[in-house]
Amino acid sequence: MIFDSLGASFIYGFLIRRGKLSGIADIDIKKPIFFVLGFALEFGVLNLTDKYPIIMTYRAYIHFLDYLMLFIGLWYNRQNKYMKVIAIGIILNFIVIFVNGGRMPVSINALNAAGISYLVPELQKNVIPTHQAMTAATKLKFLSDILYLPKPYPLPKTFSIGDLFIATGIFLIVSNAMIKASKKVKI
């Protein structure tokens, strides 16, 4: 959802509201290294499991460390009103992930409705380090990946309420920075 949100913010902030792309450079993110580390850990878990199977053994700990990095980054940016929106999403995702053993539950029905049922076998084999199939035992199902965007959306997907908050916060940060830059008085 991050890339979808960035794309939407560019369309809205730059094309529709006639903002300036240069405004993105004015976004003040304190200690961005924590966000970079958090996303790097997530990327590593998702993409290196085949090469390093031990990741599956320690996936919950790695995922926890990933969230710890994000929480530290959010703490340093707690004064930013849009980061507070992102923080709500990250907290909601953290809660559902960790009450369900360290992985985000995904609704099989939502995957099918989104038209991405090719992901179902991998979830049912239980081999995805960051996600798992939703079952009757899943806790806090309403916070899981139960929402979906089907075709004709160009990138069909399932997502959670937390993801929606994160995407909204990113959209607001980026689009408002572009719009604000276009309103600066030139001397």
Side-chain angles (χ1 to χ4, degrees), residues 8-9 21 29 53 63 65 68 70 73 85-86 92 101 104 107 109 120 130 134 136 139 158 166 182:
S9 63
L21 289 175
I29 298 179
H63 216 168
L65 184 59
L68 179 62
L70 295 176
V85 175
I86 294 170
L92 291 174
M104 174 63 85
S107 165
N109 292 336
V120 172
T130 57
M134 186 182 295
K139 298 172 186 137
T158 61
I166 294 166
S182 70

Side-chain angles (χ1 to χ4, degrees), residues 95-172:
I95 290 168
V96 71
I97 286 169
F98 285 97
V99 300
N100 287 291
R103 293 185 292 164
M104 174 63 85
V106 181
S107 165
I108 300 301
N109 292 336
L111 284 169
N112 290 329
I116 50 176
S117 55
Y118 63 88
L119 295 172
V120 172
E122 293 296 310
L123 277 174
Q124 290 175 331
K125 287 180 197 171
N126 209 22
V127 295
I128 300 175
T130 57
H131 293 79
Q132 61 188 328
M134 186 182 295
T135 67
T138 298
K139 298 172 186 137
L140 301 174
K141 290 180 183 179
F142 70 99
L143 293 177
S144 300
D145 280 0
I146 59 170
L147 305 171
Y148 60 91
L149 284 169
K151 289 186 176 190
Y153 188 74
L155 301 168
K157 64 177 71 324
T158 61
F159 58 98
S160 67
I161 294 170
D163 293 337
L164 191 57
F165 273 95
I166 294 166
T168 301
I170 291 169
F171 174 85
L172 292 170

Side-chain angles (χ1 to χ4, degrees), residues 1-2 6 21 43 46 50 53 57 62 88 101 107-108 114 136 139-140 145 147 175-176 179:
M1 294 278 309
I2 292 173
L6 287 171
L21 289 175
F43 181 83
L46 283 171
D50 290 341
T57 304
I62 297 167
I88 291 168
S107 165
I108 300 301
K139 298 172 186 137
L140 301 174
D145 280 0
L147 305 171
S175 62
N176 284 311
I179 294 165

Side-chain angles (χ1 to χ4, degrees), residues 4-99:
D4 304 279
S5 179
L6 287 171
S9 63
F10 287 129
I11 291 168
Y12 178 74
F14 182 67
L15 297 176
I16 295 174
R17 293 292 308 272
R18 303 286 185 221
K20 293 187 176 186
L21 289 175
S22 62
I24 296 170
D26 295 333
I27 296 173
D28 182 27
I29 298 179
K30 295 170 180 61
K31 308 286 185 182
I33 188 65
F34 291 108
F35 295 111
V36 171
L37 288 171
F39 290 117
L41 282 168
E42 180 90 6
F43 181 83
V45 166
L46 283 171
N47 294 293
L48 297 175
T49 304
D50 290 341
K51 190 172 182 179
Y52 302 102
I54 195 165
I55 289 174
M56 282 301 283
T57 304
Y58 296 103
R59 67 182 176 257
Y61 301 106
I62 297 167
H63 216 168
F64 179 80
L65 184 59
D66 167 13
Y67 272 87
L68 179 62
M69 294 298 106
L70 295 176
F71 287 138
I72 292 170
L74 289 168
W75 176 256
Y76 280 110
N77 291 279
R78 66 191 178 279
Q79 302 306 322
N80 182 317
K81 63 184 174 184
Y82 304 126
M83 279 290 185
K84 290 177 183 178
V85 175
I86 294 170
I88 291 168
I90 290 175
I91 290 167
L92 291 174
N93 281 352
F94 176 81
I95 290 168
V96 71
I97 286 169
F98 285 97
V99 300

